[in-house]
Every structure is written in C-alpha cells, then in structure tokens.
Amino acid sequence: MPELSQQSCTACSADAPKVTAAEKQALMESLPQWELVVLDGEEQLKRVFTFKNFAQAQAFTNQVADLAEAEGHHPAILLEWGKATVRWWTHKIGGLHKNDFIMAARTDALY
Ligand SMILES: C[C@H](O)[C@H](O)[C@H]1CNC2=NC(N)=NC(=O)C2=N1
C-alpha cells in the first residue's frame, strides 16, 4: 500500500463506514503532528501550521484549498497572521473516513 501522501480520496457516500479505533491508531502513526479532536460531536483531525507572516500563511491556505478542490474533499481552514489551522473530517458521515487521513498527509506534503 503506498504512503498516505501518495494516495487520493475515494468517493464516499453517507453510509460509508467511519474508521475503526484500530485503523485510527495505525493511521495516526503517519500523522504525528496532527491531533484528534471532537467538535460539535464530530471527530476531526487538526493541525496548526505556523509561518513568518500572513502572506505565507495565506499562500499555504490557497494551496490546501486547491488540493481540496482537486480531490473533492474539503477542510475547515482558519487563516490568521502567521498561522493556518486545518481540520479534516467527512461531513457526510459526521466523523473520520480514511480520506481525511489521506488529505492530512497530503496537507503535510505542502508544508
Ligand atoms: C457534493 C460534494 O461532492 C460533497 O458534498 C463533498 C464535498 N466535500 C466534502 N468534504 C468533506 N470534508 N466532507 C464531505 O462530506 C464532503 N462532501
């Protein structure tokens, strides 16, 4: 199986399964900078990326947005001076799908 960052999202439907606890634990080993959070009852992956200024954070944000649009899978991104906070989860299943781990790894590859 290729590295997470070499994979692309798969189409997922509202009845797609969330990752299991065992899958989560294994996948998180590839994402040491990310944390698992629960917001509005939905489990998500979160990482804060830091930059020297707003312009660099904005450029990174745009790269992540372009990646998301290309993959048809979209994050929440908070853009601030010197920081971009990225959260990945799958809206239609209200939690984490393997796609979210793939996109987190692809986000790391942009940094
Ligand atoms: C119609 C459109 O493809 C779907 O709504 C996609 C868009 N991007 C998405 N992004 C994320 N993170 N979760 C989704 O369930 C999702 N669904």
Side-chain angles (χ1 to χ4, degrees), residues 28-74:
M28 286 306 283
E29 288 174 16
S30 302
L31 301 171
Q33 307 290 331
W34 292 77
E35 60 176 310
L36 288 166
V37 298
V38 178
L39 287 177
D40 301 326
E42 299 187 337
E43 195 168 31
Q44 306 176 4
L45 293 168
K46 175 185 172 185
R47 180 178 176 183
V48 179
F49 296 86
T50 58
F51 300 91
K52 289 182 188 154
N53 53 45
F54 186 83
Q56 289 189 7
Q58 180 185 9
F60 173 77
T61 297
N62 290 334
Q63 286 182 298
V64 177
D66 289 344
L67 169 67
E69 194 59 13
E71 289 291 322
H73 197 69
H74 303 85

Side-chain angles (χ1 to χ4, degrees), residues 6 13 21 25 28 37 41 50 71 74 82 90-91 103 105 108:
Q6 303 300 313
S13 55
Q25 186 176 0
M28 286 306 283
V37 298
T50 58
E71 289 291 322
H74 303 85
T90 299
H91 313 150
M103 295 305 282
D108 282 346

Side-chain angles (χ1 to χ4, degrees), residues 2 8 15 17-18 24 36 38 40 48 50 59-60 73-74 78 89 92 95 104 106 110:
S8 287
D15 59 356
K18 293 181 181 140
K24 228 180 316 186
L36 288 166
V38 178
D40 301 326
V48 179
T50 58
F60 173 77
H73 197 69
H74 303 85
L78 173 61
W89 78 105
K92 59 171 69 78
R106 303 267 310 261
L110 295 174

